[in-house]
Amino acid sequence: VFISLFPTLKYYFYSDDYSMLYHLQNNITPQWPYTFVPFIFKPIYKLFGLMPEAYTLLGVITYFFLVISVYVLCNILLKKKLIAFFAASLFATAYIGLDQFTQLAVSSVNNISNIFICITLIIYLRFIQTKKKIYYFLCLVIFILTMVVFPFRVFPLLLFMPAAHS
């Protein structure tokens, strides 16, 4: 992940990043569905201001955790560690998720929403495997939370849920 993303350390803010920075600088909460986005970046903005390296580092760290969640999801789904490792490696180093790093702030939001997608699917698969209601309710809570906080990124989750069951 770090080798693949090293060139992004020289990037600067672009496109949607400016909207997020404007809201942070002026202490404005945007309308839904972007209401929660500034809260993700508020601590970083308070500490580092407009240093793009801090936002890039956040994107790299969240991408690293996303790769781990992709590995766990693939491992649970396929029950083969080697295939899960190669799937996560391909995801980590190929342009599957890396193209988003042209926008520093947007990449972190995408990564966090994709982590929530993976967690929701992991818990849903646990429910399917065990039929324990606690997994169903936990999945439902995380699903609703994800749809409220990241509705502009997690709509594919609506497609994955029925597919995971069949």
Side-chain angles (χ1 to χ4, degrees):
V1 170
F2 293 111
I3 291 169
S4 297
L5 294 175
F6 184 74
T8 64
L9 295 177
K10 299 176 187 129
Y11 284 177
Y12 198 71
F13 299 109
Y14 179 73
S15 185
D16 291 351
D17 294 333
Y18 288 112
S19 173
M20 183 270 308
L21 292 171
Y22 175 80
H23 286 95
L24 285 173
Q25 288 174 327
N26 295 296
N27 204 20
I28 300 171
T29 302
Q31 296 296 318
W32 190 82
Y34 300 101
T35 307
F36 299 99
V37 172
F39 295 110
I40 295 169
F41 298 104
K42 192 170 267 194
I44 292 166
Y45 178 74
K46 296 243 185 225
L47 287 172
F48 300 104
L50 297 176
M51 289 178 48
E53 296 84 7
Y55 299 90
T56 303
L57 184 61
L58 178 65
V60 170
I61 290 169
T62 56
Y63 192 68
F64 177 76
F65 285 112
L66 173 57
V67 170
I68 291 173
S69 61
V70 167
Y71 169 79
V72 172
L73 176 62
C74 289
N75 192 29
I76 290 171
L77 190 61
L78 302 171
K79 296 179 176 58
K80 297 197 184 275
K81 289 182 181 182
L82 188 60
I83 293 174
F85 174 77
F86 282 121
S89 298
L90 180 65
F91 183 86
T93 59
Y95 289 101
I96 295 170
L98 296 180
D99 65 333
Q100 67 181 344
F101 280 94
T102 58
Q103 298 179 19
L104 303 182
V106 172
S107 67
S108 298
V109 173
N110 287 345
N111 294 337
I112 294 169
S113 65
N114 287 329
I115 290 168
F116 273 86
I117 288 172
C118 288
I119 290 170
T120 304
L121 290 172
I122 288 167
I123 294 171
Y124 188 65
L125 287 170
R126 287 289 183 207
F127 164 71
I128 291 171
Q129 293 168 349
T130 64
K131 301 294 185 213
K132 292 184 179 178
K133 291 180 184 175
I134 187 71
Y135 289 123
Y136 179 79
F137 290 115
L138 186 59
C139 175
L140 186 61
V141 167
I142 294 174
F143 175 77
I144 292 169
L145 174 73
T146 305
M147 292 302 286
V148 169
V149 176
F150 305 107
F152 46 88
R153 297 288 183 252
V154 296
F155 56 87
L157 187 55
L158 296 171
L159 300 173
F160 290 134
M161 297 299 280
H165 189 66
S166 55

